[in-house]
Amino acid sequence: MKIPSVEKFSRDLATETVESVRSASVAKVDARSNALKIAFDDLEGARTQAAQIKDYVLDNLPNLLPQLELKCRLNGIEVHWAKNASSARKTILEICKAAAPEGGSIVKAKSMATEEIHLNKHLIKNGYEVVETDLGEYVVQIDDDTPSHIVTPIIHKNRKQVAKSFEREGLGPYTEVPSELAMQARHHLREKFREAKIGISGVNFAVAESGRIVLVENEGNNRLSTTAPDVHIAVMGLEKVLPSETDLPLFLRLLAGSATGQQMTTYIHMISGPRRKDEMDGPKEVHLVILDNGRSKVLNGPYKEILRCIRCGACLNVCPVYRQASGHAYNNVYSGPLGAVLGPALEGVEKLPDLAKASTLCGSCEEVCPVKIPIPRMLLQLREEANRKGLVKEMIPWSMFSVGSTSGFRWRLGLKMLPLAPIAKHPAKSGWEEFKDLPTKEGRDFRKWWNGRS
Amino acid sequence: MGDREAILTNLGKAGKKSRLPLPPAPMPALTYDALWEIFATKLEALGGRIGNLQDLEVILSRPHVLDVESATRLGRKSGGADVWAAEVGVTTVDLAIAETATLMLSTGPGRPRLASLTPTLHVALVPKERIVATMSEAFTQLTDRTTVLITGPSRTADIEGILVRGVHGPGDVLVIPV
Amino acid sequence: MRIRTYARYDAEVSRSASNISQTEPMTTGAPKPKVRLMLTCLCDAFFGEVGIATVRVLEHAGCTVVFDKDQTCCGQPPFNSGDWTAARLAAGHLMRTTLIHKDTVVTPSASCAAMVREGYPMLYTDMAHPEIFELGEYLVQHLKIETWPITAKKMPAKTKVAFHSSCHGRGIGLKGEQRQLLASLPWVELVPFDQGEQCCGFGGAFSANHPSISAGIGMEKLKNILESGADEIVGGDMGCLMQLNGLIKRNKLKIKTRHFSQLLAEGIGE
């Protein structure tokens, strides 16, 4: 029996890592509920409204995307379309080559879309120095690691590990004080912001009506990456469009509360195009890359609602499996309950067939989701699809179960054989028994008791 | 077929789904003073400060950069230090939003984008009557310029979830109603 | 596929609840409500006492209980594992033996109730949500029992209870009915514990194919409960309690588990 990937990964995880992930997740769940309680009188109504707006967007992309394209162009933003990862990489490299043919530094703000298309490797291979500037992403980069959470990339690391990495990279004297570590990163990355000709970011929201790109962050590295260099390239999944600017306050508040337990994220950067003639700074070119990479396929299938996602990470924080296994266990850019659906939805169940099984189906992901994505329902549907296509070997022979479960006689016969179970050999039994004792029959038998009454 | 056409073909036809109207914006119900009180409480909770013009005397002895509007208001010369070297950036903002202690700042002539970002201290001058209750209300006054909403000092909690201020942007935000 | 959300389902349940209480008032002389028991496979195989307690509780609440001997399993195990063909076979059998009678069906498991209510409409696209009630939900919402009527002459020994509300209970919109009934027992002291809403880590086949994660989640739960100083863990789903009990025995922890119906049954005189 093949051990499922998430289980396999979690077995080798250091206790220290599990504790880092667990304590940070618990704190974030508490912060989330406190913040949203203050922000909304009717949180339920706000979540319903947000889900409904997202559904409207998903149903009207053929109108909204061209509208966004037109309005962006009127604002001086160049719009590019990329049907898949390689097309997106090619487009971005072309923009970079035109802006900085001799290579040089590119500063990057945190972006899941660029992680998804593995952009950094491609640019580095082509002679650019790519510097991640979000504190967590920077640590991930110098450690040659990958983010284990879509909002807090180094949730799996503690301060000692960060301190060692900074010392190794020569950022300054060894210190375990988080504020001193942050200042070392600030000083080191300042020079990168000054010298970089190109800045690359993701997109949190893009407003069709105004042609405005909206970026949300707390540190300021995103603003620096998209303000200081001459060229700004923004990469967005095509589902990130919103119809109107008046939709933004709802989403900004839901995102801030759900992601980091804030009333509002520190910086909301609403970009209406490159520097104008009357301005003294800001990028001279702004490019928007609209990325499909499997999304239009998802849109027309059973996992459509996963595209409502605004990447807040609340489902990761609350998920008991994520807390035990960490984000890396999901073997995918997107982890946790979101990743268990979005990963196979974008890449195909064939590539990640057992990911949907890494869930107790407790439902807490759906309960905290700001856009009410029915994640448990989709996990069940993914499990069904994997089973139907014969992609996973079932531990329990369900055809045998069907024999017993469709006849009262055979069922009762099966129950009579149950006392033999402890001597039987079966992977499901050994799985259960590894950490737990088997259940034993306790007290009276119901059927005997019932029959004895009448 | 180009990527644009390929994507739009894959997306198919737009649905007919209509959308729920957003809840109507509430009528203004608070005085300017009451709004400023809320703003101050929220800002201080975030680690920002409320001040007055006297505070600026000492502050402006440090290397600083001033946008045109603030310079005019203070009777000083605009510009100043190189924006990368300035320790203090003084800007006049478009609006203050009471419910979240947010500043709305748009770009434009005489308004360097980096002045509110590269220094360690951002001083925001806000005309007293330029305060609204909610973000929804503020959004009705958005211009077509690139705009940033600033809520408190720059922060990160990437290392063990511990809050650190001033990681890339200003760790200190001083708001002065004028 | 037509899927209704839990929230909308809630509204319908409360509507139908008010209808039932109007047509079947719980007054003496009125016909006794007839309740069809869905035993659940776990109670059938291992936890007979819970089935017995459930019948005694329902009868004490004034119901006539019927049990279909050919009943097997609701089909949740294969459903959750992705084998919906096997799940449909089991579901079809439950429908033909039990649901077909149009009586009120009650089960001592929120998980099995969730399977029938929310899972069956995923298996059969043209199906409305079948009516089936979790025991505590039925007692409080339908029979309007707020305080458990105690007839036992001797009061059971005092016990400190850590109440585990199951995830499927939240999923079908339970609002603390089981806890409310437990709180009305004078010998029970409910003790709060940290992370009360957290999952136990069972998840059906998950507990066998992701054993270390499952045990990790369960031990976290037990750690929080043990810190509360409880004598026992009481819940409404034998799946959760079987999981926790397996860990308790393996790690020789000093705490026991019981289904809430067993505590209610203690209050019934002979």
CSV table of all heavy atoms in Angstrom, one decimal, chain B residues 51-73:
chain,number,residue,atom,x,y,z
B,51,GLY,N,-0.4,64.1,16.1
B,51,GLY,CA,0.4,65.1,16.6
B,51,GLY,C,-0.1,66.5,16.2
B,51,GLY,O,-1.2,66.6,15.6
B,52,ASN,N,0.7,67.6,16.5
B,52,ASN,CA,0.3,68.9,16.0
B,52,ASN,C,1.5,69.5,15.3
B,52,ASN,O,2.6,69.0,15.4
B,52,ASN,CB,-0.3,69.7,17.1
B,52,ASN,CG,0.6,69.8,18.3
B,52,ASN,OD1,1.8,70.1,18.1
B,52,ASN,ND2,0.1,69.5,19.5
B,53,LEU,N,1.3,70.7,14.8
B,53,LEU,CA,2.4,71.3,14.0
B,53,LEU,C,3.6,71.7,14.7
B,53,LEU,O,4.7,71.7,14.2
B,53,LEU,CB,1.8,72.6,13.2
B,53,LEU,CG,0.9,72.3,12.0
B,53,LEU,CD1,0.3,73.6,11.5
B,53,LEU,CD2,1.6,71.5,11.0
B,54,GLN,N,3.5,71.9,16.1
B,54,GLN,CA,4.6,72.2,16.9
B,54,GLN,C,5.6,71.0,16.8
B,54,GLN,O,6.9,71.3,16.9
B,54,GLN,CB,4.3,72.5,18.3
B,54,GLN,CG,3.7,73.9,18.5
B,54,GLN,CD,2.2,73.9,18.3
B,54,GLN,OE1,1.5,73.2,19.0
B,54,GLN,NE2,1.7,74.7,17.4
B,55,ASP,N,5.1,69.8,16.8
B,55,ASP,CA,6.0,68.6,16.8
B,55,ASP,C,6.9,68.7,15.6
B,55,ASP,O,8.0,68.1,15.6
B,55,ASP,CB,5.1,67.4,16.7
B,55,ASP,CG,4.2,67.2,17.9
B,55,ASP,OD1,4.5,67.8,18.9
B,55,ASP,OD2,3.2,66.5,17.7
B,56,LEU,N,6.5,69.4,14.5
B,56,LEU,CA,7.3,69.4,13.3
B,56,LEU,C,8.6,70.1,13.4
B,56,LEU,O,9.6,69.8,12.7
B,56,LEU,CB,6.5,70.0,12.1
B,56,LEU,CG,5.6,69.0,11.4
B,56,LEU,CD1,4.9,69.7,10.3
B,56,LEU,CD2,6.4,67.8,10.8
B,57,GLU,N,8.7,71.1,14.3
B,57,GLU,CA,9.9,71.9,14.5
B,57,GLU,C,11.1,71.1,14.6
B,57,GLU,O,12.1,71.2,13.9
B,57,GLU,CB,9.8,72.9,15.6
B,57,GLU,CG,8.7,74.0,15.4
B,57,GLU,CD,9.0,74.8,14.1
B,57,GLU,OE1,10.1,75.1,13.9
B,57,GLU,OE2,8.0,75.0,13.4
B,58,VAL,N,11.1,70.2,15.6
B,58,VAL,CA,12.2,69.3,15.9
B,58,VAL,C,12.4,68.3,14.7
B,58,VAL,O,13.5,68.1,14.3
B,58,VAL,CB,12.0,68.5,17.2
B,58,VAL,CG1,13.3,67.8,17.6
B,58,VAL,CG2,11.6,69.5,18.3
B,59,ILE,N,11.3,67.7,14.3
B,59,ILE,CA,11.4,66.7,13.3
B,59,ILE,C,12.1,67.2,12.0
B,59,ILE,O,12.9,66.4,11.4
B,59,ILE,CB,10.0,66.2,13.0
B,59,ILE,CG1,9.4,65.3,14.2
B,59,ILE,CG2,9.9,65.3,11.7
B,59,ILE,CD1,8.0,65.0,14.1
B,60,LEU,N,11.8,68.4,11.6
B,60,LEU,CA,12.3,68.9,10.3
B,60,LEU,C,13.8,69.3,10.4
B,60,LEU,O,14.3,69.7,9.4
B,60,LEU,CB,11.4,70.0,9.8
B,60,LEU,CG,10.0,69.5,9.3
B,60,LEU,CD1,9.2,70.7,8.8
B,60,LEU,CD2,10.1,68.4,8.3
B,61,SER,N,14.4,69.1,11.6
B,61,SER,CA,15.8,69.3,11.6
B,61,SER,C,16.6,68.1,11.1
B,61,SER,O,17.8,68.1,10.8
B,61,SER,CB,16.3,69.6,13.1
B,61,SER,OG,16.0,68.5,13.9
B,62,ARG,N,15.8,67.0,11.0
B,62,ARG,CA,16.4,65.8,10.4
B,62,ARG,C,16.3,65.9,8.8
B,62,ARG,O,15.5,66.6,8.3
B,62,ARG,CB,15.7,64.5,10.9
B,62,ARG,CG,15.9,64.3,12.4
B,62,ARG,CD,14.8,63.5,13.0
B,62,ARG,NE,14.7,62.1,12.5
B,62,ARG,CZ,13.8,61.2,12.7
B,62,ARG,NH1,12.7,61.6,13.5
B,62,ARG,NH2,13.8,60.0,12.2
B,63,PRO,N,17.1,65.1,8.1
B,63,PRO,CA,17.0,65.1,6.6
B,63,PRO,C,15.6,64.7,6.2
B,63,PRO,O,15.1,63.7,6.7
B,63,PRO,CB,18.0,64.0,6.2
B,63,PRO,CG,18.9,63.7,7.4
B,63,PRO,CD,18.1,64.1,8.6
B,64,HIS,N,15.0,65.5,5.4
B,64,HIS,CA,13.6,65.3,5.1
B,64,HIS,C,13.2,65.6,3.7
B,64,HIS,O,14.0,66.3,3.0
B,64,HIS,CB,12.7,66.1,6.1
B,64,HIS,CG,12.9,67.6,6.0
B,64,HIS,ND1,13.7,68.3,6.8
B,64,HIS,CD2,12.4,68.5,5.1
B,64,HIS,CE1,13.7,69.6,6.4
B,64,HIS,NE2,12.9,69.7,5.4
B,65,VAL,N,12.0,65.2,3.3
B,65,VAL,CA,11.5,65.5,2.0
B,65,VAL,C,10.1,66.0,2.1
B,65,VAL,O,9.3,65.4,2.9
B,65,VAL,CB,11.7,64.4,1.0
B,65,VAL,CG1,11.0,63.1,1.5
B,65,VAL,CG2,11.1,64.7,-0.4
B,66,LEU,N,9.7,67.1,1.4
B,66,LEU,CA,8.4,67.7,1.6
B,66,LEU,C,7.7,67.7,0.2
B,66,LEU,O,8.3,68.0,-0.8
B,66,LEU,CB,8.5,69.1,2.0
B,66,LEU,CG,8.9,69.5,3.5
B,66,LEU,CD1,9.2,71.0,3.5
B,66,LEU,CD2,7.7,69.2,4.4
B,67,ASP,N,6.4,67.3,0.2
B,67,ASP,CA,5.7,67.5,-1.1
B,67,ASP,C,5.3,69.0,-1.2
B,67,ASP,O,5.4,69.7,-0.2
B,67,ASP,CB,4.5,66.5,-1.2
B,67,ASP,CG,3.4,66.8,-0.3
B,67,ASP,OD1,3.4,67.8,0.5
B,67,ASP,OD2,2.4,66.1,-0.3
B,68,VAL,N,4.8,69.4,-2.4
B,68,VAL,CA,4.6,70.8,-2.6
B,68,VAL,C,3.5,71.4,-1.7
B,68,VAL,O,3.7,72.5,-1.1
B,68,VAL,CB,4.2,71.0,-4.1
B,68,VAL,CG1,3.7,72.4,-4.3
B,68,VAL,CG2,5.4,70.7,-5.0
B,69,GLU,N,2.4,70.6,-1.6
B,69,GLU,CA,1.3,71.1,-0.8
B,69,GLU,C,1.7,71.4,0.7
B,69,GLU,O,1.4,72.4,1.3
B,69,GLU,CB,0.1,70.2,-0.9
B,69,GLU,CG,-1.2,70.8,-0.6
B,69,GLU,CD,-2.3,69.8,-0.8
B,69,GLU,OE1,-2.2,68.9,-1.7
B,69,GLU,OE2,-3.4,69.9,-0.1
B,70,SER,N,2.4,70.4,1.3
B,70,SER,CA,2.8,70.5,2.7
B,70,SER,C,3.8,71.7,2.8
B,70,SER,O,3.8,72.4,3.8
B,70,SER,CB,3.5,69.2,3.1
B,70,SER,OG,2.7,68.1,2.9
B,71,ALA,N,4.7,71.8,1.8
B,71,ALA,CA,5.7,72.9,1.9
B,71,ALA,C,5.0,74.2,1.9
B,71,ALA,O,5.4,75.1,2.7
B,71,ALA,CB,6.7,72.8,0.7
B,72,THR,N,4.0,74.4,1.0
B,72,THR,CA,3.3,75.6,1.0
B,72,THR,C,2.6,75.9,2.3
B,72,THR,O,2.7,77.0,2.8
B,72,THR,CB,2.2,75.6,-0.1
B,72,THR,OG1,2.8,75.0,-1.3
B,72,THR,CG2,1.6,76.9,-0.4
B,73,ARG,N,2.0,74.9,2.8
B,73,ARG,CA,1.3,75.0,4.1
B,73,ARG,C,2.2,75.4,5.2
B,73,ARG,O,1.9,76.2,6.1
B,73,ARG,CB,0.6,73.7,4.5
B,73,ARG,CG,-0.4,73.8,5.6
B,73,ARG,CD,-1.1,72.5,5.8
B,73,ARG,NE,-2.0,72.2,4.7
B,73,ARG,CZ,-3.3,72.6,4.6
B,73,ARG,NH1,-3.8,73.4,5.6
B,73,ARG,NH2,-4.0,72.3,3.6
